[in-house]
Amino acid sequence: MDPNLRILASRKLAELHAARGMWASAARIMTNAATSSERFSTAQELYLSAASLSIKAGDYLLADDNIRGAVDVAAPSEKARVQSAAADMYLSAAAELDKSGKMTKSAQIYERILKTSRDANVSKRIRERLVVLYEKLGKIQESMRMKASLGPQ
């Protein structure tokens, strides 16, 4: 089968799965499409789409694998942009969970971002948000530890 036709069919199938809320299967379909892509730019786009779907499904390991795949196929000049886009995906997912009251999952995503973030401003904002979330969740020790990492106010 022609790889371009396979990618087109995979995109449509993933779109149908995502429309029904089947995020995990849509992510797997997009990942498979990315591996069969002959063009690096298409593979990068498909890996990022799969990562986004994986984050929605709550499968952060698959999302990390897809992000690594997107970084691997990216040109050296685009690697930073791809990593920034991945961090933005995680941040928006955490904020969305935060708004819907799913504080535990939101805290997990913020912690994941904190481990990989290189931007000092983003790290500080995340630490401040984690202090609030930990206090709401009753995790006082973690809250105090996070406050201490922020330094004197």
Side-chain angles (χ1 to χ4, degrees):
M1 178 184 255
D2 180 36
N4 293 327
L5 187 59
R6 171 180 269 165
I7 290 170
L8 180 65
S10 295
R11 282 185 179 175
K12 289 296 180 186
L13 186 59
E15 201 175 286
L16 290 171
H17 282 247
R20 292 194 173 128
M22 299 166 55
W23 308 112
S25 62
R28 283 191 300 273
I29 292 167
M30 292 298 274
T31 302
N32 290 337
T35 57
S36 67
S37 175
E38 293 177 342
R39 296 183 59 214
F40 289 129
S41 59
T42 304
Q44 179 182 334
E45 174 194 337
L46 292 169
Y47 275 125
L48 287 175
S49 296
S52 176
L53 292 166
S54 299
I55 290 170
K56 286 181 182 179
D59 190 351
Y60 305 121
L61 295 176
L62 181 59
D64 288 344
D65 288 343
N66 285 317
I67 290 167
R68 270 191 295 280
V71 170
D72 288 345
V73 298
S77 61
E78 292 205 4
K79 289 186 188 289
R81 186 191 62 79
V82 170
Q83 289 172 335
S84 175
D88 290 343
M89 282 190 280
Y90 273 121
L91 280 172
S92 66
E96 188 176 308
L97 287 169
D98 209 357
K99 287 179 186 174
S100 66
K102 297 179 180 178
M103 292 181 285
T104 304
K105 288 188 178 208
S106 176
Q108 289 173 347
I109 294 177
Y110 281 129
E111 290 166 356
R112 186 176 216 81
I113 298 167
L114 194 60
K115 288 178 186 176
T116 60
S117 178
R118 294 185 180 130
D119 187 5
N121 293 329
V122 171
S123 295
K124 184 178 180 192
R125 279 195 338 229
I126 291 172
R127 283 189 178 97
E128 290 169 351
R129 186 62 197 146
L130 279 172
V131 166
V132 174
L133 284 174
Y134 286 151
E135 288 174 357
K136 286 181 180 179
L137 291 170
K139 297 181 175 183
I140 304 303
Q141 287 182 335
E142 285 89 347
S143 175
M144 292 174 64
R145 180 179 49 84
M146 202 55 66
K147 279 183 187 175
S149 72
L150 283 171
Q153 298 282 326

mmCIF file with all atom_site columns, all heavy atoms in Angstrom, residues 84-101:
data_model
loop_
_atom_site.group_PDB
_atom_site.id
_atom_site.type_symbol
_atom_site.label_atom_id
_atom_site.label_alt_id
_atom_site.label_comp_id
_atom_site.label_asym_id
_atom_site.label_entity_id
_atom_site.label_seq_id
_atom_site.pdbx_PDB_ins_code
_atom_site.Cartn_x
_atom_site.Cartn_y
_atom_site.Cartn_z
_atom_site.occupancy
_atom_site.B_iso_or_equiv
_atom_site.pdbx_formal_charge
_atom_site.auth_seq_id
_atom_site.auth_comp_id
_atom_site.auth_asym_id
_atom_site.auth_atom_id
_atom_site.pdbx_PDB_model_num
ATOM 1   N N   . SER A 1 84  ? 9.367   22.742 22.899 1.00 0.00 ? 84  SER A N   1
ATOM 2   C CA  . SER A 1 84  ? 8.508   23.797 23.426 1.00 0.00 ? 84  SER A CA  1
ATOM 3   C C   . SER A 1 84  ? 7.035   23.479 23.167 1.00 0.00 ? 84  SER A C   1
ATOM 4   O O   . SER A 1 84  ? 6.182   23.679 24.038 1.00 0.00 ? 84  SER A O   1
ATOM 5   C CB  . SER A 1 84  ? 8.881   25.129 22.788 1.00 0.00 ? 84  SER A CB  1
ATOM 6   O OG  . SER A 1 84  ? 7.998   26.134 23.182 1.00 0.00 ? 84  SER A OG  1
ATOM 7   N N   . ALA A 1 85  ? 6.736   22.972 21.994 1.00 0.00 ? 85  ALA A N   1
ATOM 8   C CA  . ALA A 1 85  ? 5.355   22.593 21.664 1.00 0.00 ? 85  ALA A CA  1
ATOM 9   C C   . ALA A 1 85  ? 4.872   21.464 22.571 1.00 0.00 ? 85  ALA A C   1
ATOM 10  O O   . ALA A 1 85  ? 3.721   21.462 23.015 1.00 0.00 ? 85  ALA A O   1
ATOM 11  C CB  . ALA A 1 85  ? 5.256   22.168 20.202 1.00 0.00 ? 85  ALA A CB  1
ATOM 12  N N   . ALA A 1 86  ? 5.757   20.536 22.876 1.00 0.00 ? 86  ALA A N   1
ATOM 13  C CA  . ALA A 1 86  ? 5.407   19.432 23.769 1.00 0.00 ? 86  ALA A CA  1
ATOM 14  C C   . ALA A 1 86  ? 5.120   19.950 25.172 1.00 0.00 ? 86  ALA A C   1
ATOM 15  O O   . ALA A 1 86  ? 4.141   19.532 25.814 1.00 0.00 ? 86  ALA A O   1
ATOM 16  C CB  . ALA A 1 86  ? 6.529   18.403 23.801 1.00 0.00 ? 86  ALA A CB  1
ATOM 17  N N   . ALA A 1 87  ? 5.949   20.861 25.655 1.00 0.00 ? 87  ALA A N   1
ATOM 18  C CA  . ALA A 1 87  ? 5.727   21.442 26.980 1.00 0.00 ? 87  ALA A CA  1
ATOM 19  C C   . ALA A 1 87  ? 4.399   22.200 27.008 1.00 0.00 ? 87  ALA A C   1
ATOM 20  O O   . ALA A 1 87  ? 3.653   22.124 28.002 1.00 0.00 ? 87  ALA A O   1
ATOM 21  C CB  . ALA A 1 87  ? 6.876   22.356 27.356 1.00 0.00 ? 87  ALA A CB  1
ATOM 22  N N   . ASP A 1 88  ? 4.086   22.897 25.925 1.00 0.00 ? 88  ASP A N   1
ATOM 23  C CA  . ASP A 1 88  ? 2.814   23.619 25.846 1.00 0.00 ? 88  ASP A CA  1
ATOM 24  C C   . ASP A 1 88  ? 1.626   22.664 25.883 1.00 0.00 ? 88  ASP A C   1
ATOM 25  O O   . ASP A 1 88  ? 0.593   22.970 26.494 1.00 0.00 ? 88  ASP A O   1
ATOM 26  C CB  . ASP A 1 88  ? 2.758   24.478 24.584 1.00 0.00 ? 88  ASP A CB  1
ATOM 27  C CG  . ASP A 1 88  ? 3.698   25.665 24.637 1.00 0.00 ? 88  ASP A CG  1
ATOM 28  O OD1 . ASP A 1 88  ? 4.155   26.024 25.743 1.00 0.00 ? 88  ASP A OD1 1
ATOM 29  O OD2 . ASP A 1 88  ? 3.985   26.235 23.559 1.00 0.00 ? 88  ASP A OD2 1
ATOM 30  N N   . MET A 1 89  ? 1.766   21.511 25.225 1.00 0.00 ? 89  MET A N   1
ATOM 31  C CA  . MET A 1 89  ? 0.692   20.513 25.262 1.00 0.00 ? 89  MET A CA  1
ATOM 32  C C   . MET A 1 89  ? 0.442   20.037 26.688 1.00 0.00 ? 89  MET A C   1
ATOM 33  O O   . MET A 1 89  ? -0.697  19.933 27.138 1.00 0.00 ? 89  MET A O   1
ATOM 34  C CB  . MET A 1 89  ? 1.031   19.311 24.374 1.00 0.00 ? 89  MET A CB  1
ATOM 35  C CG  . MET A 1 89  ? 0.822   19.544 22.911 1.00 0.00 ? 89  MET A CG  1
ATOM 36  S SD  . MET A 1 89  ? 0.963   18.025 21.935 1.00 0.00 ? 89  MET A SD  1
ATOM 37  C CE  . MET A 1 89  ? 2.728   17.859 21.817 1.00 0.00 ? 89  MET A CE  1
ATOM 38  N N   . TYR A 1 90  ? 1.532   19.741 27.395 1.00 0.00 ? 90  TYR A N   1
ATOM 39  C CA  . TYR A 1 90  ? 1.404   19.304 28.782 1.00 0.00 ? 90  TYR A CA  1
ATOM 40  C C   . TYR A 1 90  ? 0.814   20.408 29.654 1.00 0.00 ? 90  TYR A C   1
ATOM 41  O O   . TYR A 1 90  ? -0.045  20.145 30.509 1.00 0.00 ? 90  TYR A O   1
ATOM 42  C CB  . TYR A 1 90  ? 2.768   18.875 29.347 1.00 0.00 ? 90  TYR A CB  1
ATOM 43  C CG  . TYR A 1 90  ? 3.128   17.440 29.084 1.00 0.00 ? 90  TYR A CG  1
ATOM 44  C CD1 . TYR A 1 90  ? 4.278   17.115 28.380 1.00 0.00 ? 90  TYR A CD1 1
ATOM 45  C CD2 . TYR A 1 90  ? 2.335   16.402 29.560 1.00 0.00 ? 90  TYR A CD2 1
ATOM 46  C CE1 . TYR A 1 90  ? 4.631   15.792 28.153 1.00 0.00 ? 90  TYR A CE1 1
ATOM 47  C CE2 . TYR A 1 90  ? 2.679   15.078 29.328 1.00 0.00 ? 90  TYR A CE2 1
ATOM 48  C CZ  . TYR A 1 90  ? 3.820   14.783 28.631 1.00 0.00 ? 90  TYR A CZ  1
ATOM 49  O OH  . TYR A 1 90  ? 4.163   13.474 28.406 1.00 0.00 ? 90  TYR A OH  1
ATOM 50  N N   . LEU A 1 91  ? 1.265   21.644 29.464 1.00 0.00 ? 91  LEU A N   1
ATOM 51  C CA  . LEU A 1 91  ? 0.746   22.753 30.263 1.00 0.00 ? 91  LEU A CA  1
ATOM 52  C C   . LEU A 1 91  ? -0.746  22.970 30.044 1.00 0.00 ? 91  LEU A C   1
ATOM 53  O O   . LEU A 1 91  ? -1.494  23.178 31.005 1.00 0.00 ? 91  LEU A O   1
ATOM 54  C CB  . LEU A 1 91  ? 1.509   24.044 29.943 1.00 0.00 ? 91  LEU A CB  1
ATOM 55  C CG  . LEU A 1 91  ? 2.850   24.228 30.610 1.00 0.00 ? 91  LEU A CG  1
ATOM 56  C CD1 . LEU A 1 91  ? 3.570   25.448 30.049 1.00 0.00 ? 91  LEU A CD1 1
ATOM 57  C CD2 . LEU A 1 91  ? 2.687   24.365 32.111 1.00 0.00 ? 91  LEU A CD2 1
ATOM 58  N N   . SER A 1 92  ? -1.180  22.908 28.802 1.00 0.00 ? 92  SER A N   1
ATOM 59  C CA  . SER A 1 92  ? -2.603  23.105 28.534 1.00 0.00 ? 92  SER A CA  1
ATOM 60  C C   . SER A 1 92  ? -3.436  21.956 29.098 1.00 0.00 ? 92  SER A C   1
ATOM 61  O O   . SER A 1 92  ? -4.538  22.179 29.612 1.00 0.00 ? 92  SER A O   1
ATOM 62  C CB  . SER A 1 92  ? -2.863  23.289 27.039 1.00 0.00 ? 92  SER A CB  1
ATOM 63  O OG  . SER A 1 92  ? -2.563  22.123 26.328 1.00 0.00 ? 92  SER A OG  1
ATOM 64  N N   . ALA A 1 93  ? -2.906  20.738 29.034 1.00 0.00 ? 93  ALA A N   1
ATOM 65  C CA  . ALA A 1 93  ? -3.631  19.597 29.606 1.00 0.00 ? 93  ALA A CA  1
ATOM 66  C C   . ALA A 1 93  ? -3.728  19.731 31.124 1.00 0.00 ? 93  ALA A C   1
ATOM 67  O O   . ALA A 1 93  ? -4.786  19.460 31.711 1.00 0.00 ? 93  ALA A O   1
ATOM 68  C CB  . ALA A 1 93  ? -2.939  18.289 29.243 1.00 0.00 ? 93  ALA A CB  1
ATOM 69  N N   . ALA A 1 94  ? -2.644  20.169 31.760 1.00 0.00 ? 94  ALA A N   1
ATOM 70  C CA  . ALA A 1 94  ? -2.657  20.348 33.213 1.00 0.00 ? 94  ALA A CA  1
ATOM 71  C C   . ALA A 1 94  ? -3.636  21.447 33.612 1.00 0.00 ? 94  ALA A C   1
ATOM 72  O O   . ALA A 1 94  ? -4.388  21.294 34.580 1.00 0.00 ? 94  ALA A O   1
ATOM 73  C CB  . ALA A 1 94  ? -1.255  20.666 33.719 1.00 0.00 ? 94  ALA A CB  1
ATOM 74  N N   . ALA A 1 95  ? -3.642  22.542 32.869 1.00 0.00 ? 95  ALA A N   1
ATOM 75  C CA  . ALA A 1 95  ? -4.564  23.643 33.175 1.00 0.00 ? 95  ALA A CA  1
ATOM 76  C C   . ALA A 1 95  ? -6.015  23.206 32.986 1.00 0.00 ? 95  ALA A C   1
ATOM 77  O O   . ALA A 1 95  ? -6.895  23.557 33.793 1.00 0.00 ? 95  ALA A O   1
ATOM 78  C CB  . ALA A 1 95  ? -4.249  24.841 32.291 1.00 0.00 ? 95  ALA A CB  1
ATOM 79  N N   . GLU A 1 96  ? -6.262  22.416 31.961 1.00 0.00 ? 96  GLU A N   1
ATOM 80  C CA  . GLU A 1 96  ? -7.618  21.916 31.700 1.00 0.00 ? 96  GLU A CA  1
ATOM 81  C C   . GLU A 1 96  ? -8.085  21.002 32.833 1.00 0.00 ? 96  GLU A C   1
ATOM 82  O O   . GLU A 1 96  ? -9.223  21.102 33.306 1.00 0.00 ? 96  GLU A O   1
ATOM 83  C CB  . GLU A 1 96  ? -7.627  21.170 30.369 1.00 0.00 ? 96  GLU A CB  1
ATOM 84  C CG  . GLU A 1 96  ? -8.993  20.771 29.876 1.00 0.00 ? 96  GLU A CG  1
ATOM 85  C CD  . GLU A 1 96  ? -8.916  20.127 28.502 1.00 0.00 ? 96  GLU A CD  1
ATOM 86  O OE1 . GLU A 1 96  ? -8.309  20.725 27.599 1.00 0.00 ? 96  GLU A OE1 1
ATOM 87  O OE2 . GLU A 1 96  ? -9.457  19.015 28.357 1.00 0.00 ? 96  GLU A OE2 1
ATOM 88  N N   . LEU A 1 97  ? -7.207  20.111 33.276 1.00 0.00 ? 97  LEU A N   1
ATOM 89  C CA  . LEU A 1 97  ? -7.545  19.224 34.397 1.00 0.00 ? 97  LEU A CA  1
ATOM 90  C C   . LEU A 1 97  ? -7.739  20.019 35.679 1.00 0.00 ? 97  LEU A C   1
ATOM 91  O O   . LEU A 1 97  ? -8.612  19.707 36.493 1.00 0.00 ? 97  LEU A O   1
ATOM 92  C CB  . LEU A 1 97  ? -6.454  18.166 34.592 1.00 0.00 ? 97  LEU A CB  1
ATOM 93  C CG  . LEU A 1 97  ? -6.393  17.064 33.553 1.00 0.00 ? 97  LEU A CG  1
ATOM 94  C CD1 . LEU A 1 97  ? -5.122  16.244 33.716 1.00 0.00 ? 97  LEU A CD1 1
ATOM 95  C CD2 . LEU A 1 97  ? -7.617  16.168 33.655 1.00 0.00 ? 97  LEU A CD2 1
ATOM 96  N N   . ASP A 1 98  ? -6.921  21.045 35.840 1.00 0.00 ? 98  ASP A N   1
ATOM 97  C CA  . ASP A 1 98  ? -7.011  21.903 37.015 1.00 0.00 ? 98  ASP A CA  1
ATOM 98  C C   . ASP A 1 98  ? -8.373  22.592 37.075 1.00 0.00 ? 98  ASP A C   1
ATOM 99  O O   . ASP A 1 98  ? -9.013  22.655 38.129 1.00 0.00 ? 98  ASP A O   1
ATOM 100 C CB  . ASP A 1 98  ? -5.895  22.942 36.953 1.00 0.00 ? 98  ASP A CB  1
ATOM 101 C CG  . ASP A 1 98  ? -5.438  23.399 38.313 1.00 0.00 ? 98  ASP A CG  1
ATOM 102 O OD1 . ASP A 1 98  ? -6.029  22.953 39.315 1.00 0.00 ? 98  ASP A OD1 1
ATOM 103 O OD2 . ASP A 1 98  ? -4.491  24.196 38.380 1.00 0.00 ? 98  ASP A OD2 1
ATOM 104 N N   . LYS A 1 99  ? -8.825  23.100 35.933 1.00 0.00 ? 99  LYS A N   1
ATOM 105 C CA  . LYS A 1 99  ? -10.119 23.785 35.867 1.00 0.00 ? 99  LYS A CA  1
ATOM 106 C C   . LYS A 1 99  ? -11.284 22.841 36.122 1.00 0.00 ? 99  LYS A C   1
ATOM 107 O O   . LYS A 1 99  ? -12.299 23.228 36.678 1.00 0.00 ? 99  LYS A O   1
ATOM 108 C CB  . LYS A 1 99  ? -10.300 24.459 34.513 1.00 0.00 ? 99  LYS A CB  1
ATOM 109 C CG  . LYS A 1 99  ? -9.452  25.689 34.332 1.00 0.00 ? 99  LYS A CG  1
ATOM 110 C CD  . LYS A 1 99  ? -9.661  26.287 32.959 1.00 0.00 ? 99  LYS A CD  1
ATOM 111 C CE  . LYS A 1 99  ? -8.704  27.434 32.742 1.00 0.00 ? 99  LYS A CE  1
ATOM 112 N NZ  . LYS A 1 99  ? -8.774  27.940 31.364 1.00 0.00 ? 99  LYS A NZ  1
ATOM 113 N N   . SER A 1 100 ? -11.125 21.589 35.703 1.00 0.00 ? 100 SER A N   1
ATOM 114 C CA  . SER A 1 100 ? -12.220 20.623 35.881 1.00 0.00 ? 100 SER A CA  1
ATOM 115 C C   . SER A 1 100 ? -12.206 19.972 37.255 1.00 0.00 ? 100 SER A C   1
ATOM 116 O O   . SER A 1 100 ? -13.030 19.102 37.534 1.00 0.00 ? 100 SER A O   1
ATOM 117 C CB  . SER A 1 100 ? -12.178 19.559 34.786 1.00 0.00 ? 100 SER A CB  1
ATOM 118 O OG  . SER A 1 100 ? -11.023 18.770 34.919 1.00 0.00 ? 100 SER A OG  1
ATOM 119 N N   . GLY A 1 101 ? -11.270 20.375 38.118 1.00 0.00 ? 101 GLY A N   1
ATOM 120 C CA  . GLY A 1 101 ? -11.247 19.879 39.492 1.00 0.00 ? 101 GLY A CA  1
ATOM 121 C C   . GLY A 1 101 ? -10.469 18.594 39.690 1.00 0.00 ? 101 GLY A C   1
ATOM 122 O O   . GLY A 1 101 ? -10.514 18.008 40.761 1.00 0.00 ? 101 GLY A O   1
#
